[in-house]
Amino acid sequence: MKTWLPTLVKELAENRSPTLSLAVRGHLGRAAVFDERGRLLAGSLGQPELEKAVSDQVMILKPREAGRLAREGTEILSERLAAEAVQFWREALDGQQKAWAAWLLTIARPTAEGLAVKRHALSANAPFTKLRLPAEEGALWSLLPLNAGLGRLLVFGDDELALETAALGARAGLKASLISVAPLDLDLQAAQLLGEFDLQTFADWSEVGPASLEQLGVKPGVMVLLTTPDSAAFLETLKSAQLGWLGLAGEAAEPRTESGLFPQALTPAQRALGLVAAMLEGR
């Protein structure tokens, strides 16, 4: 989330007209910056075919003009920016670097002249109230985290619940990592359309010990979720650390009651949402 914004500001400051593209699914976007010739400069839209479609579109956009594409459930909003927008993006970059948490709100509405795009850089230096935006026919909006100010999340597991929680945690503004020993069994590409997270792999769970946990970033205040029951090598180390939150769910929770779940959660996505809500409740 931090790679594309400095590049965008640099391009505008040097009096060029880059294009900012958002791949939006479920109101959350992934961002990429393209130059005037359609070359990808920074960021990612999650799939090469999306980036190719946007690259073709970028070359025909004029400064201050926006275009919209739809590909298999993903909306792609692209706007060719002009150099006079540099002050707004500098303020967004300042929020990313200095604020406790920061987001980019983008709202695109169809008009008789084409797409009208409005953007707001939001930053917080204290606890915040979640935005409530009204549904509007035909409008496309996305809320893109600019930093990971809500905290650090480590998820240990190989199941869909671990994958969903890592993706939703990243979507909410957490710096999330999924630690797995079976990444080939997971649909990582689909999950990272929801939220961008790091993947760390081990050959076997027995390889995860105190030294590995330190390298992964386990320290006071970090939030940790385990869905794998194969945690004998490191669970006690986690319990003795001053974590901000420690949850056992999925197979790791049995026969204990799973923590942080909505009472009637049925799907991995619903359970993951409940877990993320429980993590953030006291933050």
Side-chain angles (χ1 to χ4, degrees):
M1 60 181 67
K2 290 188 177 181
T3 58
W4 63 269
L5 186 50
T7 299
L8 182 66
V9 171
K10 181 176 181 292
E11 289 290 300
L12 292 171
E14 294 175 356
N15 204 34
R16 289 190 278 269
S17 297
T19 295
L20 175 63
S21 295
L22 298 178
V24 181
R25 183 185 289 249
H27 301 308
L28 265 290
R30 297 184 66 169
V33 178
F34 295 81
D35 68 9
E36 292 97 328
R37 289 181 286 179
R39 293 183 302 181
L40 179 65
L41 298 178
S44 169
L45 300 180
Q47 297 177 355
E49 55 268 28
L50 296 183
E51 292 166 3
K52 175 63 168 63
V54 171
S55 177
D56 294 339
Q57 184 188 50
V58 161
M59 292 184 285
I60 63 173
L61 288 178
K62 300 175 182 177
R64 294 176 293 277
E65 186 178 17
R68 189 169 170 178
L69 297 172
R71 291 290 189 279
E72 297 181 358
T74 299
E75 292 270 6
I76 305 111
L77 173 68
S78 298
E79 183 184 17
R80 180 88 173 269
L81 303 174
E84 62 262 27
V86 67
Q87 185 56 38
F88 170 84
W89 292 104
R90 279 176 172 158
E91 291 175 3
L93 181 61
D94 188 63
Q96 179 190 73
Q97 294 174 339
K98 298 179 181 178
W100 170 74
W103 301 265
L104 172 67
L105 173 64
T106 299
I107 303 174
R109 295 185 176 92
T111 68
E113 292 75 31
L115 278 176
V117 180
K118 290 187 177 181
R119 301 187 193 271
H120 304 272
L122 311 173
S123 60
N125 292 295
F128 67 97
T129 300
K130 183 175 66 174
L131 287 169
R132 295 188 179 185
L133 298 174
E136 184 174 333
E137 185 68 28
L140 173 69
W141 65 267
S142 71
L143 189 62
L144 181 67
L146 296 178
N147 62 19
L150 297 185
R152 184 81 170 92
L153 168 63
L154 300 175
V155 182
F156 295 80
D158 297 313
D159 59 1
E160 192 174 353
L161 178 59
L163 185 65
E164 291 276 0
T165 305
L168 286 173
R171 177 176 178 167
L174 296 168
K175 184 178 180 181
S177 293
L178 174 63
I179 297 93
S180 171
V181 300
L184 296 180
D185 296 336
L186 301 172
D187 190 354
L188 295 168
Q189 188 176 62
Q192 290 198 327
L193 287 174
L194 298 179
E196 191 169 355
F197 54 89
D198 295 327
L199 175 66
Q200 304 285 339
T201 61
F202 289 87
D204 189 84
W205 288 114
S206 63
E207 294 185 1
V208 182
S212 301
L213 294 175
E214 185 176 351
Q215 290 178 350
L216 289 169
V218 172
K219 59 184 179 180
V222 168
M223 293 173 283
V224 175
L225 172 70
L226 274 68
T227 68
T228 175
D230 302 319
S231 56
F234 59 93
L235 180 56
E236 292 306 315
T237 302
L238 290 174
K239 287 181 177 179
S240 63
Q242 295 178 320
L243 299 175
W245 189 88
L246 175 61
L248 304 176
E251 290 186 31
E254 297 175 356
R256 296 173 293 273
T257 301
E258 289 188 333
S259 56
L261 303 183
F262 288 142
Q264 296 181 340
L266 300 176
T267 67
Q270 290 173 338
R271 295 163 74 191
L273 185 59
L275 287 164
V276 173
M279 294 174 202
L280 298 179
E281 185 177 9
R283 302 185 80 80

Short mmCIF file of all heavy atoms in Angstrom, two decimals, residues 143-178:
data_model
loop_
_atom_site.label_atom_id
_atom_site.label_comp_id
_atom_site.label_asym_id
_atom_site.label_seq_id
_atom_site.Cartn_x
_atom_site.Cartn_y
_atom_site.Cartn_z
N LEU A 143 -12.65 2.62 -0.64
CA LEU A 143 -11.91 3.12 0.50
C LEU A 143 -10.61 2.34 0.56
O LEU A 143 -10.60 1.15 0.86
CB LEU A 143 -12.71 2.94 1.79
CG LEU A 143 -12.15 3.62 3.04
CD1 LEU A 143 -12.11 5.12 2.85
CD2 LEU A 143 -12.99 3.26 4.26
N LEU A 144 -9.50 3.01 0.25
CA LEU A 144 -8.21 2.35 0.09
C LEU A 144 -7.29 2.75 1.24
O LEU A 144 -6.96 3.93 1.39
CB LEU A 144 -7.59 2.78 -1.23
CG LEU A 144 -6.24 2.18 -1.60
CD1 LEU A 144 -6.38 0.70 -1.87
CD2 LEU A 144 -5.67 2.88 -2.82
N PRO A 145 -6.88 1.82 2.10
CA PRO A 145 -5.94 2.17 3.17
C PRO A 145 -4.62 2.66 2.57
O PRO A 145 -4.08 2.07 1.64
CB PRO A 145 -5.73 0.84 3.92
CG PRO A 145 -6.90 0.00 3.56
CD PRO A 145 -7.27 0.40 2.17
N LEU A 146 -4.09 3.77 3.11
CA LEU A 146 -2.81 4.29 2.67
C LEU A 146 -1.66 3.84 3.57
O LEU A 146 -0.51 3.94 3.20
CB LEU A 146 -2.85 5.82 2.62
CG LEU A 146 -3.82 6.43 1.61
CD1 LEU A 146 -3.79 7.94 1.69
CD2 LEU A 146 -3.51 5.96 0.20
N ASN A 147 -2.00 3.40 4.77
CA ASN A 147 -0.96 2.84 5.64
C ASN A 147 -1.59 1.75 6.49
O ASN A 147 -2.77 1.46 6.40
CB ASN A 147 -0.29 3.92 6.49
CG ASN A 147 -1.26 4.62 7.42
OD1 ASN A 147 -2.34 4.13 7.71
ND2 ASN A 147 -0.88 5.80 7.89
N ALA A 148 -0.77 1.14 7.31
CA ALA A 148 -1.25 0.04 8.15
C ALA A 148 -1.35 0.50 9.59
O ALA A 148 -0.90 -0.17 10.51
CB ALA A 148 -0.32 -1.16 8.02
N GLY A 149 -1.95 1.67 9.79
CA GLY A 149 -1.94 2.29 11.10
C GLY A 149 -2.75 1.57 12.16
O GLY A 149 -2.63 1.88 13.34
N LEU A 150 -3.60 0.62 11.78
CA LEU A 150 -4.42 -0.07 12.77
C LEU A 150 -3.67 -1.18 13.48
O LEU A 150 -4.18 -1.74 14.45
CB LEU A 150 -5.69 -0.63 12.12
CG LEU A 150 -6.63 0.41 11.52
CD1 LEU A 150 -7.88 -0.25 11.01
CD2 LEU A 150 -6.97 1.48 12.53
N GLY A 151 -2.48 -1.52 13.02
CA GLY A 151 -1.69 -2.52 13.75
C GLY A 151 -1.18 -3.64 12.88
O GLY A 151 -1.40 -3.68 11.66
N ARG A 152 -0.50 -4.58 13.53
CA ARG A 152 0.16 -5.70 12.86
C ARG A 152 -0.58 -6.99 13.17
O ARG A 152 -0.94 -7.25 14.32
CB ARG A 152 1.59 -5.80 13.39
CG ARG A 152 2.44 -6.87 12.71
CD ARG A 152 2.98 -6.36 11.39
NE ARG A 152 3.99 -7.28 10.83
CZ ARG A 152 3.70 -8.27 9.99
NH1 ARG A 152 2.46 -8.48 9.60
NH2 ARG A 152 4.66 -9.03 9.51
N LEU A 153 -0.85 -7.79 12.13
CA LEU A 153 -1.58 -9.04 12.29
C LEU A 153 -0.77 -10.18 11.66
O LEU A 153 -0.36 -10.10 10.51
CB LEU A 153 -2.95 -8.95 11.61
CG LEU A 153 -3.71 -10.27 11.43
CD1 LEU A 153 -4.05 -10.89 12.78
CD2 LEU A 153 -4.98 -10.04 10.61
N LEU A 154 -0.57 -11.24 12.45
CA LEU A 154 0.05 -12.48 11.96
C LEU A 154 -0.96 -13.60 12.05
O LEU A 154 -1.54 -13.83 13.12
CB LEU A 154 1.29 -12.83 12.78
CG LEU A 154 2.42 -11.80 12.80
CD1 LEU A 154 3.52 -12.24 13.75
CD2 LEU A 154 2.99 -11.59 11.41
N VAL A 155 -1.19 -14.31 10.96
CA VAL A 155 -2.15 -15.41 10.92
C VAL A 155 -1.38 -16.69 10.59
O VAL A 155 -0.72 -16.78 9.56
CB VAL A 155 -3.25 -15.18 9.87
CG1 VAL A 155 -4.25 -16.33 9.90
CG2 VAL A 155 -3.96 -13.85 10.11
N PHE A 156 -1.49 -17.69 11.47
CA PHE A 156 -0.82 -18.97 11.27
C PHE A 156 -1.88 -20.01 10.88
O PHE A 156 -2.72 -20.38 11.71
CB PHE A 156 -0.13 -19.42 12.55
CG PHE A 156 1.02 -18.53 12.99
CD1 PHE A 156 0.77 -17.34 13.66
CD2 PHE A 156 2.32 -18.89 12.73
CE1 PHE A 156 1.81 -16.53 14.07
CE2 PHE A 156 3.38 -18.09 13.14
CZ PHE A 156 3.12 -16.89 13.80
N GLY A 157 -1.85 -20.48 9.65
CA GLY A 157 -2.83 -21.48 9.25
C GLY A 157 -2.78 -21.80 7.78
O GLY A 157 -2.19 -21.06 6.99
N ASP A 158 -3.44 -22.91 7.42
CA ASP A 158 -3.47 -23.36 6.03
C ASP A 158 -4.90 -23.50 5.50
O ASP A 158 -5.10 -24.06 4.42
CB ASP A 158 -2.77 -24.72 5.90
CG ASP A 158 -1.30 -24.64 6.27
OD1 ASP A 158 -0.62 -23.73 5.80
OD2 ASP A 158 -0.85 -25.50 7.05
N ASP A 159 -5.88 -23.01 6.25
CA ASP A 159 -7.26 -23.20 5.82
C ASP A 159 -7.85 -21.89 5.30
O ASP A 159 -7.23 -20.83 5.33
CB ASP A 159 -8.10 -23.77 6.97
CG ASP A 159 -8.10 -22.87 8.20
OD1 ASP A 159 -7.47 -21.79 8.16
OD2 ASP A 159 -8.73 -23.24 9.20
N GLU A 160 -9.10 -21.99 4.83
CA GLU A 160 -9.76 -20.83 4.25
C GLU A 160 -10.01 -19.74 5.28
O GLU A 160 -9.99 -18.55 4.97
CB GLU A 160 -11.08 -21.25 3.60
CG GLU A 160 -11.69 -20.17 2.72
CD GLU A 160 -12.92 -20.67 1.97
OE1 GLU A 160 -13.21 -21.87 2.02
OE2 GLU A 160 -13.59 -19.82 1.35
N LEU A 161 -10.23 -20.13 6.53
CA LEU A 161 -10.45 -19.14 7.59
C LEU A 161 -9.20 -18.28 7.78
O LEU A 161 -9.30 -17.06 7.93
CB LEU A 161 -10.83 -19.83 8.90
CG LEU A 161 -11.05 -18.92 10.11
CD1 LEU A 161 -12.14 -17.90 9.84
CD2 LEU A 161 -11.37 -19.76 11.34
N ALA A 162 -8.02 -18.90 7.78
CA ALA A 162 -6.77 -18.14 7.90
C ALA A 162 -6.61 -17.19 6.73
O ALA A 162 -6.24 -16.01 6.90
CB ALA A 162 -5.59 -19.10 7.98
N LEU A 163 -6.90 -17.68 5.54
CA LEU A 163 -6.77 -16.86 4.32
C LEU A 163 -7.73 -15.68 4.35
O LEU A 163 -7.34 -14.53 4.08
CB LEU A 163 -7.05 -17.75 3.11
CG LEU A 163 -6.84 -17.13 1.73
CD1 LEU A 163 -5.39 -16.78 1.51
CD2 LEU A 163 -7.32 -18.10 0.65
N GLU A 164 -8.99 -15.93 4.70
CA GLU A 164 -9.99 -14.87 4.75
C GLU A 164 -9.63 -13.82 5.80
O GLU A 164 -9.81 -12.62 5.59
CB GLU A 164 -11.38 -15.45 5.05
CG GLU A 164 -11.97 -16.29 3.94
CD GLU A 164 -12.68 -15.45 2.89
OE1 GLU A 164 -12.70 -14.22 3.03
OE2 GLU A 164 -13.20 -16.04 1.92
N THR A 165 -9.14 -14.28 6.96
CA THR A 165 -8.83 -13.34 8.03
C THR A 165 -7.65 -12.45 7.64
O THR A 165 -7.66 -11.24 7.90
CB THR A 165 -8.52 -14.08 9.33
OG1 THR A 165 -9.61 -14.95 9.65
CG2 THR A 165 -8.31 -13.10 10.48
N ALA A 166 -6.63 -13.02 7.00
CA ALA A 166 -5.51 -12.22 6.54
C ALA A 166 -5.96 -11.17 5.53
O ALA A 166 -5.57 -10.00 5.60
CB ALA A 166 -4.43 -13.11 5.94
N ALA A 167 -6.82 -11.59 4.58
CA ALA A 167 -7.29 -10.66 3.55
C ALA A 167 -8.17 -9.56 4.14
O ALA A 167 -8.01 -8.38 3.83
CB ALA A 167 -8.06 -11.43 2.48
N LEU A 168 -9.11 -9.93 5.01
CA LEU A 168 -10.00 -8.93 5.61
C LEU A 168 -9.25 -8.01 6.56
O LEU A 168 -9.56 -6.83 6.66
CB LEU A 168 -11.16 -9.62 6.33
CG LEU A 168 -12.22 -10.23 5.43
CD1 LEU A 168 -13.22 -11.04 6.26
CD2 LEU A 168 -12.95 -9.15 4.65
N GLY A 169 -8.27 -8.57 7.29
CA GLY A 169 -7.46 -7.73 8.16
C GLY A 169 -6.71 -6.67 7.37
O GLY A 169 -6.67 -5.49 7.75
N ALA A 170 -6.11 -7.07 6.24
CA ALA A 170 -5.43 -6.12 5.39
C ALA A 170 -6.40 -5.10 4.81
O ALA A 170 -6.10 -3.91 4.70
CB ALA A 170 -4.71 -6.86 4.27
N ARG A 171 -7.60 -5.57 4.46
CA ARG A 171 -8.63 -4.69 3.91
C ARG A 171 -9.05 -3.63 4.91
O ARG A 171 -9.36 -2.50 4.55
CB ARG A 171 -9.82 -5.56 3.51
CG ARG A 171 -11.02 -4.82 2.99
CD ARG A 171 -12.07 -5.82 2.55
NE ARG A 171 -13.28 -5.16 2.08
CZ ARG A 171 -14.24 -5.76 1.42
NH1 ARG A 171 -14.13 -7.04 1.14
NH2 ARG A 171 -15.31 -5.11 1.02
N ALA A 172 -9.02 -3.97 6.20
CA ALA A 172 -9.42 -3.02 7.24
C ALA A 172 -8.32 -2.03 7.58
O ALA A 172 -8.58 -1.04 8.26
CB ALA A 172 -9.81 -3.78 8.50
N GLY A 173 -7.08 -2.25 7.11
CA GLY A 173 -6.00 -1.34 7.40
C GLY A 173 -4.95 -1.90 8.32
O GLY A 173 -4.14 -1.16 8.89
N LEU A 174 -4.93 -3.23 8.50
CA LEU A 174 -3.89 -3.88 9.27
C LEU A 174 -2.74 -4.30 8.34
O LEU A 174 -2.96 -4.58 7.17
CB LEU A 174 -4.43 -5.14 9.96
CG LEU A 174 -5.51 -4.93 11.02
CD1 LEU A 174 -6.14 -6.27 11.39
CD2 LEU A 174 -4.94 -4.27 12.25
N LYS A 175 -1.54 -4.31 8.86
CA LYS A 175 -0.42 -4.87 8.12
C LYS A 175 -0.43 -6.36 8.40
O LYS A 175 -0.01 -6.81 9.47
CB LYS A 175 0.90 -4.24 8.56
CG LYS A 175 2.09 -4.72 7.74
CD LYS A 175 3.36 -4.03 8.16
CE LYS A 175 4.53 -4.53 7.31
NZ LYS A 175 5.81 -3.88 7.71
N ALA A 176 -0.92 -7.13 7.46
CA ALA A 176 -1.21 -8.55 7.70
C ALA A 176 -0.21 -9.46 7.00
O ALA A 176 0.24 -9.19 5.89
CB ALA A 176 -2.62 -8.88 7.23
N SER A 177 0.11 -10.57 7.67
CA SER A 177 0.93 -11.63 7.09
C SER A 177 0.24 -12.97 7.34
O SER A 177 -0.28 -13.20 8.44
CB SER A 177 2.33 -11.68 7.71
OG SER A 177 3.08 -10.53 7.37
N LEU A 178 0.24 -13.81 6.33
CA LEU A 178 -0.25 -15.18 6.47
C LEU A 178 0.95 -16.11 6.50
O LEU A 178 1.78 -16.10 5.58
CB LEU A 178 -1.17 -15.54 5.30
CG LEU A 178 -1.65 -16.99 5.23
CD1 LEU A 178 -2.51 -17.34 6.45
CD2 LEU A 178 -2.43 -17.25 3.95
#
